Amino acid sequence: MDPETTNVIEVKCLTVRYPKPGLKQVFVTAVNQLALAVHHGEVFGFLGPNGAGKTTTMNVLLGFVPPTSGTASLFGIDVRQPIARQRIGYLPELTYYYKFLTAEELLRFYAKIFGLSRAETDQRIAKLIKLVGLEHASKRPIKSYSKGMQQRVGLAQALINNPDLLILDEPTSGLDPLGRMKVREIIQRLKDEGKTVFFSSHELGEVEAICDRVAIVHEGQLKAVGTVAEISAGHANLERAFLEVVGYQSTCQP
Amino acid sequence: MKTSPWIALVSLLALAFTVATSLSSRADIWSKRSKSNNFFGVIFGDGRKLFANQFFTMADVYFHSGYYPSIFDKNSAEQKEIISASHGAKETEEDEKKEDFLGQPKDWIDAFGRHFRLTEHVHLEQGNEREMLPWLRLAADLDPQKIETYTVGAFFLREHLGKTNEAEAFLREGFHNNPENSELLFELGRLYQDSADVTRARNVWELGVKKFLALDDAGKKENKLVFDQLAVNLGRLEDAAGNFDQAIKWLRAAQSVSPVPGELQIQIDAIQKKLAAPASVPATK
Amino acid sequence: MNKIVALAGVVIKELYRRKDFYVLFVLTALLTVAAGMVNFFNDDKIIRIVKDVCLMLIWVSALIIAIVTTARQIPAEREARTLFPLLAKPVSRGQVLAGKFLGCWLATGVALVVFYFFFAIITGSREHIWPWAVYFQAMWLQWFMLAIVIAMVLLGSLYFAAPSSTSTISFILVVGMLGLGSHLNTLALQQPEPMQSLLAGIYFAMPHLEWFDLRDFVVYDQKLIAWPAFALATVYAVVWTGIFLLLAWFGFRRKNLST
């Protein structure tokens, strides 16, 4: 299978229903008949208001939640197969990594999961620690890290296997402006290296700046998909377009 | 108003001391536990007696090297075998060895499980009886009023371990804690008798009889067997010392409570024969 | 297998970097030495009570280490959200469970070796004998019993909300199994129906952890247990561990894990 022509992410007719907490017979539809394709080498922004179904879709892609119906695949492999995740990196929102490990030990652990050789692991760890700017703290336990440093460790672990696809859930959430800039630079660098990046964010300015294409979901359904320019056409900016797509009406009178 | 936390802390400490001074005299009436000179008494209160019984049982478990029925096993009444052993009941000891509280395995789980249980009935011997001592020591500390602890402990210390001084000290400790008990005096007398200290043996046994009778007069029901043992042993001691009249007096006293008065009568008859014959043994009293 | 070993490595690192093990070991050592120093009737050859106290502390400590360490594994991964980057890698949920089990079991094994080595030094220094084969049998069976316990706790930790509730319930169950395991059939006979059938059913269906307690053999200087019985008990522990791990896997593989 040619990786250049195969869709990196392909979601077809995806529906996810959850039983309502406490009521097993009553179901809530989190994602409804969603279809999506992310191409090789693009930075893809996945947008939507809270509760739109972004996280559920990501959870399906990562194999955390089984789809109720429809299919989802990574590099043409069904997401239910662990091997589908061999070539991806994932950065969740706000994760507190094993606090008794150092950053170096954490990366070494994840490298073992990917079955990397010792020499390759050493090389990758050195490169990633430098990339995320943690050279001074790599041998310190993670429990002594600030929130920003933890997020950078997270980014490093997501890149340990030199992934072809990076899935980022709110990667700049809770970071200071410098941290955001650093993450943006890293995404840009990955794009330059030909990697595919799929990320969700509420920072529309950031999405506008780095994404090739975006998708907007609302109430579990795909409302719009296209390049930033296509979505923003006829609006002042992406934010205005987003608000119209999700049907937002201001209650403040001018 | 801004108050320094240090002032607040000092004020609270001062208040605590003031209240403590006022409460100190009243608290004595509420509970005597904290005043107990026994560490376990402070910790457990009267509940310590339950532990004492358990520790006494543990001594028995050790005596059997772990081959011991649990509370769920049949024949659990077989417990406290060390008491009978300590009273020299050799036949009982042998009988008990023949008994198997485990019985036949009830099912395959029980049968397989026996590989991991001690199934050999053995008693401590050759000085290994010492291993029981810690439990008896702890049982005595927890319940100083449990007489058996002292008598059993003293028996093994004296008979099996040759620790006469320790046995005497243990019995004296028991007597200190139970000044009215005549059984402890009987054991103490046996210890002196074994040490060939006839005078002290006679003194403590006579004191034992006095204590027994005092309690009997006061209407407190005591174990008549103790009086029997005291009187019989005093009778034999006087017999050996050549004080035949005294010996007969004690044996007759024992007859009134003995389960085998006929046996005692035979001994009395024997002494009376000696009395009729010319005296050959000088009196020591 | 490398993935499982990697996961186990993290659990072992966690054990020796946390204070729990050191606190329990120091406590055991102090209480054992204190028991050994007490003078009972001027007899310095008394040793069984020291062995008894030390082995009891080893059992309690090993149970605490095994249960508490295992109970927090999966809940802590979920709470700190480390489970998500982990499962986003090419590792199956079964491998995560197996790694957690292996880590907890090996960590407990390491702790047991340290504890028993201390025990051997203390008792050997007084008795001047080292019955290594008996110690080995006692430690080995205790370790395999802990394998059953760890697998059982891992299963419980998937269903109970907090590690503390998993730990408490597990302690009660394990102490119950150890204390009543061999007597449930006797107790059943003393009960009216349907209690009798219920207790008898539990007796035949439960894992018999009491078989793995060879403390009495060590304390009372008894001879070794038969090696075939020893081997069969090991197989029995492996089977029960497998049962609990399979049940845990059935529960975990289809569990919705929403971030």
Side-chain angles (χ1 to χ4, degrees):
Chain A
M1 208 177 286
D2 181 7
E4 301 289 325
T5 54
T6 312
N7 283 328
V8 174
I9 298 176
E10 192 154 10
V11 175
K12 286 179 186 168
C13 303
L14 180 71
T15 298
V16 181
R17 277 201 288 269
Y18 289 119
K20 214 170 186 178
L23 300 165
K24 288 235 163 183
Q25 301 306 313
V26 182
F27 289 88
V28 175
T29 304
V31 177
N32 193 5
Q33 295 291 317
L34 186 82
L36 200 66
V38 177
H39 312 306
H40 176 83
E42 68 179 358
V43 177
F44 193 96
F46 197 45
L47 312 178
N50 288 338
K54 299 189 305 287
T55 303
T56 305
T57 307
M58 281 193 168
N59 285 345
V60 171
L61 290 175
L62 294 162
F64 302 158
V65 172
T68 309
S69 66
T71 60
S73 61
L74 299 173
F75 303 100
I77 303 169
D78 191 307
V79 291
R80 282 171 290 197
Q81 306 292 326
I83 195 70
R85 300 189 286 278
Q86 182 71 29
R87 291 163 64 193
I88 71 163
Y90 169 57
L91 174 67
E93 187 190 0
L94 294 179
T95 295
Y96 306 96
Y97 294 93
Y98 307 102
K99 55 188 179 185
F100 49 88
L101 296 181
T102 66
E104 205 178 300
E105 285 169 339
L106 181 82
L107 295 178
R108 206 169 284 286
F109 161 59
Y110 286 128
K112 274 187 194 160
I113 297 281
F114 282 105
L116 302 183
S117 70
R118 197 178 174 86
E120 200 178 356
T121 302
D122 290 343
Q123 194 190 350
R124 291 243 180 108
I125 288 174
K127 191 179 156 191
L128 288 172
I129 292 284
K130 198 175 166 196
L131 179 76
V132 298
L134 284 175
E135 297 98 321
H136 62 290
S138 66
K139 292 194 191 309
R140 254 172 40 200
I142 292 172
K143 66 181 168 199
S144 65
Y145 285 15
S146 67
K147 199 171 175 183
M149 288 164 86
Q150 293 228 16
Q151 191 73 340
R152 280 187 273 162
V153 173
L155 202 54
Q157 66 78 25
L159 296 169
I160 189 70
N161 55 329
N162 192 20
D164 294 319
L165 165 65
L166 204 60
I167 298 176
L168 313 173
D169 190 2
E170 305 278 356
T172 54
S173 166
L175 293 185
D176 62 16
L178 284 175
R180 284 165 193 235
M181 186 55 73
K182 186 89 190 168
V183 170
R184 229 180 271 176
E185 277 174 20
I186 292 168
I187 293 174
Q188 193 59 50
R189 191 184 297 184
L190 292 167
K191 185 189 172 186
D192 295 344
E193 287 174 15
K195 311 283 187 196
T196 309
V197 181
F198 178 84
F199 80 102
S200 73
S201 179
H202 289 299
E203 300 291 331
L204 297 180
E206 189 176 273
V207 172
E208 202 165 6
I210 56 173
C211 285
D212 299 314
R213 288 203 305 145
V214 292
I216 300 174
V217 285
H218 184 48
E219 292 174 343
Q221 290 180 315
L222 183 69
K223 295 293 182 186
V225 63
T227 63
V228 173
E230 284 166 359
I231 302 271
S232 310
H235 299 90
N237 54 26
L238 183 64
E239 186 174 300
R240 301 305 307 174
F242 173 81
L243 291 174
E244 193 184 307
V245 168
V246 301
Y248 175 80
Q249 286 181 334
S250 174
T251 52
C252 301
Q253 297 299 317
Chain B
M1 197 180 78
K2 202 174 176 185
T3 314
S4 160
W6 291 107
I7 294 174
L9 182 66
V10 170
S11 306
L12 285 171
L13 282 171
L15 187 65
F17 280 120
T18 312
V19 175
T21 317
S22 157
L23 283 178
S24 145
S25 53
R26 299 173 208 195
D28 287 349
I29 305 160
W30 299 341
S31 170
K32 296 228 171 353
R33 178 188 285 203
S34 60
K35 299 284 173 192
S36 171
N37 56 6
N38 186 326
F39 168 76
F40 296 106
V42 177
I43 300 289
F44 301 116
D46 275 350
R48 69 189 193 276
K49 289 180 182 175
L50 290 172
F51 290 97
N53 287 337
Q54 181 56 32
F55 286 176
F56 187 79
T57 308
M58 278 306 295
D60 204 8
V61 175
Y62 269 45
F63 180 62
H64 290 89
S65 287
Y67 179 79
Y68 206 76
S70 74
I71 52 167
F72 303 105
D73 290 310
K74 266 185 168 179
N75 304 330
S76 56
E78 294 297 323
Q79 290 174 23
K80 295 180 187 168
E81 288 161 358
I82 46 169
I83 299 170
S84 54
S86 69
H87 285 74
K90 288 282 178 196
E91 284 166 5
T92 318
E93 210 178 324
E94 289 307 314
D95 286 346
E96 148 215 322
K97 277 193 177 188
K98 284 175 201 158
E99 283 182 31
D100 178 13
F101 66 86
L102 288 173
Q104 288 299 309
K106 296 172 195 76
D107 46 63
W108 67 269
I109 290 177
D110 191 9
F112 183 62
R114 294 204 183 175
H115 286 290
F116 312 98
R117 281 186 80 165
L118 299 176
T119 50
E120 198 182 341
H121 194 155
V122 286
H123 286 176
L124 289 178
E125 52 193 6
Q126 294 176 339
N128 284 324
E129 295 90 338
R130 68 169 61 85
E131 301 294 354
M132 296 157 51
L133 298 178
W135 294 113
L136 294 171
R137 174 71 268 169
L138 289 169
D141 286 341
L142 281 163
D143 185 2
Q145 274 67 53
K146 191 173 169 70
I147 307 303
E148 284 161 346
T149 312
Y150 302 107
T151 54
V152 169
F155 169 78
F156 282 104
L157 280 166
R158 178 170 56 86
E159 285 276 311
H160 293 265
L161 301 167
K163 288 179 174 288
T164 314
N165 291 341
E166 284 78 3
E168 184 184 353
F170 197 38
L171 285 171
R172 284 194 175 282
E173 179 192 321
F175 189 60
H176 173 77
N177 292 323
N178 305 277
E180 301 306 316
N181 190 277
S182 43
E183 194 177 345
L184 288 166
L185 290 170
F186 169 67
E187 286 296 330
L188 203 54
R190 272 179 33 164
L191 185 142
Y192 292 138
Q193 191 187 34
D194 284 355
S195 312
D197 192 344
V198 178
T199 312
R200 290 178 86 183
R202 179 186 291 118
N203 288 345
V204 292
W205 279 338
E206 284 180 353
L207 182 62
V209 170
K210 207 181 285 178
K211 297 264 180 199
F212 181 89
L213 293 174
L215 284 176
D216 209 38
D217 290 346
K220 291 184 182 168
K221 286 193 175 176
E222 284 293 293
N223 186 0
K224 301 269 186 203
L225 184 69
V226 177
F227 179 78
D228 177 36
Q229 286 176 320
L230 282 165
V232 168
N233 278 275
L234 271 169
R236 287 174 188 161
L237 182 142
E238 297 298 3
D239 178 22
N243 302 323
F244 301 127
D245 289 333
Q246 279 294 99
I248 291 168
K249 189 193 95 182
W250 285 122
L251 289 173
R252 286 204 198 289
Q255 265 186 314
S256 63
V257 292
S258 174
V260 281
E263 293 283 324
L264 292 177
Q265 189 55 50
I266 294 168
Q267 290 180 40
I268 292 167
D269 293 343
I271 296 169
Q272 274 173 338
K273 272 184 194 164
K274 283 189 222 170
L275 201 58
S280 58
V281 181
T284 54
K285 194 174 178 182
Chain C
M1 190 64 194
N2 282 345
K3 292 173 188 175
I4 295 172
V5 171
L7 281 156
V10 172
V11 181
I12 294 170
K13 273 201 182 89
E14 183 189 5
L15 179 82
Y16 74 70
R17 288 191 183 164
R18 286 175 64 107
K19 306 280 181 288
D20 312 19
F21 168 73
Y22 303 104
V23 169
L24 287 167
F25 180 72
V26 169
L27 204 66
T28 300
L30 281 178
L31 288 174
T32 306
V33 170
M37 284 167 72
V38 177
N39 178 5
F40 295 104
F41 301 102
N42 302 322
D43 198 321
D44 58 1
K45 287 182 184 163
I46 291 169
I47 183 66
R48 285 191 181 174
I49 192 164
V50 182
K51 285 170 151 184
D52 219 350
V53 167
C54 189
L55 282 174
M56 186 200 67
L57 291 168
I58 289 174
W59 266 72
V60 172
S61 301
L63 270 178
I64 290 174
I65 290 170
I67 292 176
V68 174
T69 307
T70 312
R72 69 169 170 250
Q73 288 305 317
I74 302 287
E77 289 267 4
R78 290 192 73 172
E79 197 185 334
R81 301 164 60 86
T82 42
L83 189 62
F84 303 110
L86 179 61
L87 287 176
K89 296 182 169 46
V91 60
S92 68
R93 295 187 187 190
Q95 284 171 322
V96 171
L97 277 181
K100 293 292 181 190
F101 166 78
L102 188 68
C104 293
W105 190 48
L106 289 177
T108 313
V110 171
L112 273 184
V113 169
V114 174
F115 276 116
Y116 270 86
F117 188 65
F118 168 77
F119 175 80
I121 289 175
I122 289 288
T123 55
S125 66
R126 194 174 278 195
E127 287 184 311
H128 305 294
I129 49 160
W130 283 272
W132 290 113
V134 177
Y135 292 171
F136 168 75
Q137 282 194 336
M139 191 183 75
W140 179 269
L141 287 189
Q142 188 181 355
W143 190 37
F144 272 79
M145 184 218 70
L146 289 171
I148 304 176
V149 172
I150 287 167
M152 190 177 78
V153 177
L154 207 53
L155 170 66
S157 74
L158 297 175
Y159 295 98
F160 296 114
S164 53
S165 35
T166 311
S167 301
T168 310
I169 292 167
S170 303
F171 268 117
I172 294 169
L173 273 175
V174 171
V175 170
M177 285 179 192
L178 285 168
L180 294 175
S182 59
H183 305 296
L184 270 183
N185 57 345
T186 314
L187 277 177
L189 293 173
Q190 297 162 8
Q191 304 298 319
E193 286 291 0
M195 201 60 178
Q196 187 178 104
S197 301
L198 182 73
L199 285 181
I202 294 172
Y203 171 76
F204 283 104
M206 67 182 267
H208 284 270
L209 302 185
E210 74 278 5
W211 294 345
F212 299 84
D213 183 357
L214 296 189
R215 278 180 295 165
D216 282 354
F217 287 76
V218 179
V219 171
Y220 302 114
D221 304 319
Q222 297 294 312
K223 55 183 185 287
L224 291 170
I225 60 166
W227 287 104
F230 175 81
L232 210 55
T234 306
V235 172
Y236 180 81
V238 171
V239 170
W240 266 107
T241 304
I243 290 169
F244 282 124
L245 283 180
L246 262 178
L247 288 172
W249 180 65
F250 287 147
F252 194 47
R253 69 180 175 152
R254 294 264 174 249
K255 207 175 181 73
N256 271 349
L257 299 169
S258 301
T259 52

